[in-house]
Amino acid sequence: MIGQGPARRAAGIILKMVQEGKIAGRSILMAGPPSSGKTAIAMGMAMTLGSDVPFVTLAGSEIYSLEMSKTESLTQAFRRSIGVRIKEETELIEGEVVEIQVDRSVTGATKTGRLTLKTTDMETIYDLGTKMIDQLAKEKVLAGDVVQIDKTSGRISKLGRSYGRAKDYDALGADTKFVQCPDGELQTRKEVVHTVSLHEIDVINSKTQGFLALFAGDTGEIKPELREQINAKVSEWREEGKAEIVPGVLFIDEVHMLDIECFSFLNRALESELAPLVVMASNRGITQIRGTKYMSPHGIPLDLLDRVLIISTKKYELDDIKQIIRVRAQEEDVSFEDSALDALTHIGSHTSLRYALNLIAPSNHVAKRRKATEVSVQDLRLAYKYFTDVGRSLAFIEEQQDLLMFGESGASNSGNSAGQPMGSGYSANVSESAPMEIS
Ligand SMILES: Nc1ncnc2c1ncn2[C@@H]1O[C@H](COP(=O)(O)OP(=O)(O)OP(=O)(O)O)[C@@H](O)[C@H]1O
Ligand SMILES: [Mg+2]
């Protein structure tokens, strides 16, 4: 990530608080103009948190498209962002796979086989039944993998590849993890920790849905009584030391899309005992609160605004824009001549960062057409000509007013019905960006 120092430092402090578990019932608002890195910072936070802490993303408009009530989908989002770390003691077999041998009967109906596992100290051969063979195949276990087999359930999990076999294959996926070959006994007793979210526990325990609903994503509404039972059970586990609550992060992007009912739900939900950290993002100024006729900063009611910590993100400076473009170009495997990079930076600061980023790929295609490896100013100029930014598009619309459908003539485009600053903001830009020349 580049630039946006204060906002990123603020996000860092929040992350510290999340990791120390001091966040229940807090909420953060990231406010700033479009493409100033709000979503990017939130994604960065998610990556830093690690896999154990839930991070749930929800776009404000999403709650209207699901086949359930708004408050139900918010409740589910809340419960998806609270993890329960469950500790279990099990007997495990853990070792590096030396060899897998499978003998098929003539009809193929039954399979038997042998699995040879080793640690640095010993090696043992286990007999395999059909079920285990199928599981090994499903997990794509190969010789050289370090695996863990749960003795009671027979579940196999792949821990990674053994360092000793690292050089055997050069076509490994980027996510291949290398681990040490285990030492000591093959059989061990281990405390295993699973983290599941409260929502997953809800779904698994709701009779009408069953756990398969987790995969379909179509979980329907869950009864409040069931949730109460599960909360009670989880707090019982907590007292017995079997489970631990891991409050995670719920990120609500485009939060101004929520309406007054959702906001009052949020207000109350933040006070409940099991609440995650809620991070909201909005690019709106003073605008109407959805579902009311009242205006409020960011379209959020004042009583909710009062309890949030606000982080503001600023529009990027020229240097930052250049850096971001450079990083993005590298990611897309596109190289720019220095002068073209300067020109694109210039475009980014005069139109929008997103538009500049969107031009990277098309200008690369233009460059490829003339068999060049680097994008030149000329290539960029063509891409800039082919794809207009909002400012030029608006100028075009105004010019063609009479030919386009549903055009309201003249002045009214600043009075957008949702009270968004869109129209006015961009029409001010038109005169600036329309005649812009790439030098
Ligand atoms: N600091 C940064 N470092 C690298 N890339 C960035 C940075 N900030 C923004 N970007 C990139 O710029 C683009 C726009 O940023 P982002 O989506 O975070 O904006 P936003 O503030 O969420 O805007 P909106 O209000 O329109 O949702 C994204 O493609 C993102 O990857
Ligand atoms: Mg965003």
Side-chain angles (χ1 to χ4, degrees):
M1 297 236 11
I2 294 134
Q4 218 61 271
R8 274 167 55 203
R9 274 193 286 280
I13 292 175
I14 300 297
L15 279 183
K16 271 270 151 50
M17 286 161 65
V18 173
Q19 278 153 354
E20 286 167 15
K22 288 186 198 155
I23 50 156
R26 279 176 205 266
S27 68
I28 312 288
L29 170 68
M30 286 203 272
S35 69
S36 55
K38 298 182 292 297
T39 308
I41 289 177
M43 292 303 127
M45 285 171 79
M47 276 179 212
T48 323
L49 273 180
S51 55
D52 198 13
V53 182
F55 187 101
V56 176
T57 323
L58 184 77
S61 48
E62 239 172 86
I63 59 162
Y64 300 104
S65 50
L66 296 171
E67 286 171 342
M68 49 181 125
S69 72
K70 291 175 283 189
T71 47
E72 171 70 18
S73 59
L74 275 177
T75 309
Q76 291 195 1
F78 258 70
R79 289 177 78 85
R80 267 192 285 142
S81 30
I82 299 171
V84 185
R85 209 175 273 152
I86 301 170
K87 291 180 211 134
E88 261 180 326
E89 217 178 63
T90 45
E91 268 193 24
L92 294 173
I93 300 172
E94 196 177 303
E96 181 185 328
V97 178
V98 180
E99 195 184 11
I100 305 171
Q101 254 184 342
V102 179
D103 311 316
R104 267 166 233 274
S105 65
V106 183
T107 56
T110 54
K111 287 176 256 181
T112 54
R114 281 171 304 282
L115 171 69
T116 317
L117 285 181
K118 69 164 188 191
T119 65
T120 48
D121 304 315
M122 61 187 287
E123 189 169 315
T124 310
I125 299 175
Y126 295 93
D127 285 327
L128 295 173
T130 313
K131 232 171 96 184
M132 288 295 277
I133 292 173
D134 288 345
Q135 269 213 58
L136 284 170
K138 206 166 67 192
E139 294 285 326
K140 301 200 177 70
V141 176
L142 302 170
D145 287 337
V146 176
V147 295
Q148 196 176 63
I149 304 173
D150 187 332
K151 257 186 101 174
T152 41
S153 67
R155 192 180 59 200
I156 299 174
S157 36
K158 220 154 75 162
L159 303 180
R161 276 198 76 74
S162 165
Y163 276 115
R165 302 287 289 254
K167 296 208 177 61
D168 285 12
Y169 305 93
D170 49 13
L172 290 171
D175 52 352
T176 307
K177 201 167 90 186
F178 286 102
V179 292
Q180 231 34 285
C181 176
D183 52 15
E185 296 274 320
L186 270 163
Q187 289 209 27
T188 47
R189 281 187 79 77
K190 237 194 195 162
E191 189 169 78
V192 280
V193 180
H194 309 281
T195 308
V196 289
S197 72
L198 275 179
H199 176 64
E200 282 164 334
I201 304 182
D202 290 350
V203 175
I204 289 168
N205 286 290
S206 88
K207 285 214 186 63
T208 48
Q209 307 294 338
F211 74 95
L212 285 175
L214 278 177
F215 299 103
D218 171 26
T219 48
E221 304 220 349
I222 287 164
K223 292 200 189 76
E225 303 88 68
L226 177 72
R227 291 210 169 105
E228 266 161 38
Q229 279 173 15
I230 285 173
N231 287 354
K233 194 79 206 166
V234 169
S235 65
E236 206 176 283
W237 287 344
R238 264 168 91 180
E239 273 160 30
E240 291 168 9
K242 278 196 215 153
E244 214 180 305
I245 298 287
V246 196
V249 179
L250 170 61
F251 175 54
I252 309 180
D253 210 350
E254 322 276 331
V255 70
H256 46 261
M257 294 301 293
L258 298 186
D259 63 10
I260 188 75
E261 288 165 36
C262 299
F263 285 125
S264 73
F265 172 87
L266 276 185
N267 243 341
R268 206 175 44 98
L270 281 172
E271 271 170 10
S272 73
E273 195 189 345
L274 294 171
L277 168 76
V278 177
V279 179
M280 304 180 271
S282 170
N283 58 14
R284 299 294 160 91
I286 294 180
T287 176
Q288 209 164 22
I289 303 170
R290 205 171 158 157
T292 69
K293 57 182 194 311
Y294 300 106
M295 307 284 275
S296 183
H298 318 294
I300 301 174
L302 283 173
D303 55 344
L304 181 57
L305 268 182
D306 201 31
R307 53 169 72 214
V308 304
L309 287 170
I310 302 180
I311 301 178
S312 32
T313 55
K314 298 195 183 58
K315 210 167 158 15
Y316 285 109
E317 301 291 324
L318 221 54
D319 282 348
D320 295 334
I321 295 181
K322 192 170 182 177
Q323 276 285 336
I324 292 173
I325 293 176
R326 191 178 286 146
V327 169
R328 187 59 171 269
Q330 238 166 33
E331 243 164 59
E332 293 184 25
D333 223 359
V334 178
S335 43
F336 280 88
E337 285 175 12
D338 282 345
S339 53
L341 189 64
D342 287 339
L344 192 55
T345 309
H346 187 65
I347 293 177
S349 78
H350 276 78
T351 60
S352 77
L353 176 61
R354 281 229 177 79
Y355 174 67
L357 293 179
N358 282 342
L359 279 188
I360 294 178
S363 56
N364 185 38
H365 268 276
V366 176
K368 267 192 195 152
R369 224 168 39 178
R370 61 175 182 93
K371 303 213 164 42
T373 50
E374 281 196 327
V375 177
S376 70
V377 176
Q378 190 56 37
D379 301 324
L380 193 60
R381 188 175 284 149
L382 279 177
Y384 180 78
K385 197 171 103 188
Y386 294 154
F387 302 102
T388 63
D389 55 289
V390 185
R392 276 181 294 154
S393 174
L394 193 62
F396 172 76
I397 289 174
E398 279 173 355
E399 215 172 85
Q400 307 279 318
Q401 190 65 258
D402 308 333
L403 299 175
L404 293 165
M405 300 244 326
F406 303 124
E408 288 175 40
S409 56
S412 67
N413 61 25
S414 59
N416 200 312
S417 63
Q420 304 152 4
M422 257 212 63
S424 49
Y426 278 116
S427 51
N429 262 342
V430 178
S431 52
E432 224 173 69
S433 57
M436 198 179 82
E437 261 300 310
I438 310 170
S439 50

